[in-house]
Amino acid sequence: MAVGVIVSTGGGKKHPGKMTLFVFLTCLVASSGGLIFGYDIGISGGVTSMDSFLSRFFPSVYKQQMADSSTNQYCKFDSQLLTLFTSSLYWAALLSSFLASTVTRMFGRKWSMFAGGITFLLGSAFNGAAMNAVPLYLSEMAPAHLRGTLNIGFQLMITIGIFAANLINYGTASIEGGWGWRVSLGLAAVPALVITIGSLVLPDTPNSLIERGHDEEAQAMLRKIRGTEDIGAEYDDLVAASDEAKSVDHPWSNILQRKYRPQLTMAILIPCFQQLTGINVIMFYAPVLFKTIGFGSEASLASAVITGMVIVFGTFVSIATVDKLGRRKLFLQGGTQMLVSQLVVGTLIALKFGISGVATDVTKNYASIIVLFICFYVAAFAWSWGPLGWLVPSEIFPLEIRSAGQSITVSVNMFFTFLIAQVFLTALCHLKFGLFYFFAGWVAIMTAFIAFFLPETKSVPIEEIILVWKKHWFWSKFISDEDVHVGNPEAVDYRIEDA
């Protein structure tokens, strides 16, 4: 068993704060930014499985997938043009993410989310500013002991967006005349309207208000979101973090400093690993994948609805446990379950389709077993790498480089989302069932990485996260005593725990 350093915050500083109705509603509205992302993921994979859509825009793919059962099932959807339709959405997000750090720092989290909704409504594939701002906004608004629960609201909205898109695809696929895909794509304006209108009523975070010089407003907002007048200690920590942030003129260059090496490593590897779990292969191409393993057109969309329900359920599990069990336990358990599920799915497909990709006797029960293990995999992702892949990067950066760090996180995430979406159908054609073993190998690597290198951040105020790195067995070598300006390093209790 791997051994890792676990942080117990029971002896550390605890700022007063509770779950107020104001905080709950505010975080709920802010989380709706995830609806855009989720709807995109679900809708793009669904319309590409509709015969009417394929025959109109991708006739060669349509002819190939309508061929008889003797056709290699692994390669019947192989088309770079088809994958570009889906993956181009995330290339746009990658490009916009580079600008998001400046936008969120200058104008705050609230107006970044508003601009994101407007941009989407005007026709942009996706908006990096909103994706950067929402997780930061949630982490900064939430009390430390509830940060995980409220931040995962963003992932919950992503899963609801996916589920809604799957339901809409299932309904519109049966519209006579073959124009259902128009409805599916057109309804993308609805989640964009939600975040655009919602952001107009959202307050800005105390961190952002202090950062932009609105100290009195920041104190008033801190009292309101914590539900107490006893905000002195937390406010002082926020001011200290802001003062240090103001001394940093170029966060993009400062983030490369040695003392930020732990955060930079996580900002790159966690979103990279999140995509190398293979989840977006399932979410993007679920209907296409289910068609490949023997389901008909409507049945494949119905199976995608099932996986959508599972991912919503799994996210609720994460919400209920993340601030009790902590980040590490969910990461490790979820990784183990995903690893087993992918090995089983790959083996079941190998046994039926072999190397040739030809199978004439795929029974409904056999295909259902494959769907069952895909659901096990999706559930594990939904309570581990899905929400935690956004939560952990949003809570580990000091204020002076927080926007730049989140921009890196989103950019890396979008790059690997684009890359995997673009190569998946070709990889499936060439690697066949081995593709699932490929992703399983990466899940094994990332689970080991978490076990050794990610400290627990549960209940630690985000202004004091540096104390976690300072005490870690590996990362402590990068942080000197002079780099710690908040909290008391000795107040955080560490122990070695079997991972």
Side-chain angles (χ1 to χ4, degrees), residues 43-50 53-54 77 82 85-86 284-285 288:
I43 219 68
S44 57
V47 297
T48 54
S49 73
M50 296 182 186
F53 181 84
L54 288 175
F77 286 93
L82 178 62
F85 166 76
T86 298
F284 286 157
Y285 300 111
V288 171

Side-chain angles (χ1 to χ4, degrees), residues 368-384:
S368 297
I369 293 173
I370 295 177
V371 172
L372 177 63
F373 277 96
I374 287 176
C375 287
F376 285 158
Y377 161 80
V378 168
F381 177 87
W383 62 58
S384 61

Side-chain angles (χ1 to χ4, degrees), residues 95-334:
L95 295 178
S96 60
S97 294
F98 288 115
L99 302 176
S101 171
T102 301
V103 172
T104 55
R105 199 177 191 201
M106 291 180 61
F107 301 106
R109 297 19 165 172
K110 168 182 175 176
W111 293 110
S112 298
M113 290 186 285
F114 174 76
I118 288 293
T119 303
F120 191 93
L121 285 171
L122 292 176
S124 175
F126 189 69
N127 171 60
M131 286 291 291
N132 276 266
V134 173
L136 291 184
Y137 185 93
L138 295 171
S139 287
E140 291 179 356
M141 290 295 281
H145 67 287
L146 295 172
R147 186 173 60 244
T149 296
L150 292 175
N151 189 287
I152 290 175
F154 177 65
Q155 177 69 13
L156 176 63
M157 288 297 181
I158 292 177
T159 63
I160 291 174
I162 293 171
F163 180 51
N166 289 338
L167 282 176
I168 290 169
N169 282 333
Y170 183 69
T172 59
S174 59
I175 294 178
E176 294 184 7
W179 50 271
W181 57 269
R182 299 178 187 271
V183 178
S184 295
L185 294 176
L187 286 175
V190 175
L193 277 172
V194 172
I195 185 59
T196 302
I197 296 173
S199 63
L200 290 174
V201 300
L202 288 176
D204 222 332
T205 68
N207 310 64
S208 182
L209 289 169
I210 293 172
E211 192 176 19
R212 291 179 289 125
H214 306 296
D215 293 352
E216 292 185 5
E217 293 179 42
Q219 292 184 59
M221 182 55 58
L222 195 57
R223 293 189 187 97
K224 191 171 186 178
I225 65 176
R226 297 294 180 256
T228 178
E229 294 292 320
D230 185 14
I231 59 157
E234 183 173 6
Y235 179 76
D236 289 342
D237 279 350
L238 293 178
V239 171
S242 178
D243 289 342
E244 185 169 357
K246 289 176 181 177
S247 67
V248 177
D249 295 324
H250 306 289
W252 282 102
S253 59
N254 278 273
I255 202 172
L256 299 176
Q257 292 181 13
R258 180 179 174 84
K259 64 180 178 180
Y260 300 129
R261 198 66 48 79
Q263 296 96 323
L264 180 60
T265 301
M266 296 300 166
I268 294 173
L269 290 185
I270 287 180
C272 168
F273 286 153
Q274 187 190 55
Q275 296 311 309
L276 287 171
T277 60
I279 185 62
N280 278 338
V281 166
I282 302 296
M283 293 295 100
F284 286 157
Y285 300 111
V288 171
L289 182 61
F290 291 136
K291 264 191 168 182
T292 297
I293 60 177
F295 288 86
S297 180
E298 287 192 6
S300 67
L301 289 172
S303 298
V305 170
I306 293 173
T307 58
M309 291 176 62
V310 170
I311 200 170
V312 172
F313 166 77
T315 306
F316 275 113
V317 173
S318 187
I319 288 174
T321 59
V322 67
D323 285 320
K324 297 176 182 178
L325 298 178
R327 285 63 161 148
R328 281 175 49 87
K329 287 183 179 179
L330 289 178
F331 264 132
L332 297 175
Q333 190 284 327

Side-chain angles (χ1 to χ4, degrees), residues 54-74:
L54 288 175
S55 63
R56 182 179 180 90
F57 295 101
F58 305 96
S60 62
V61 177
Y62 176 70
K63 292 178 182 178
Q64 189 170 326
Q65 66 100 16
M66 290 297 289
D68 62 41
S69 59
S70 64
T71 302
N72 185 337
Q73 297 296 304
Y74 295 125

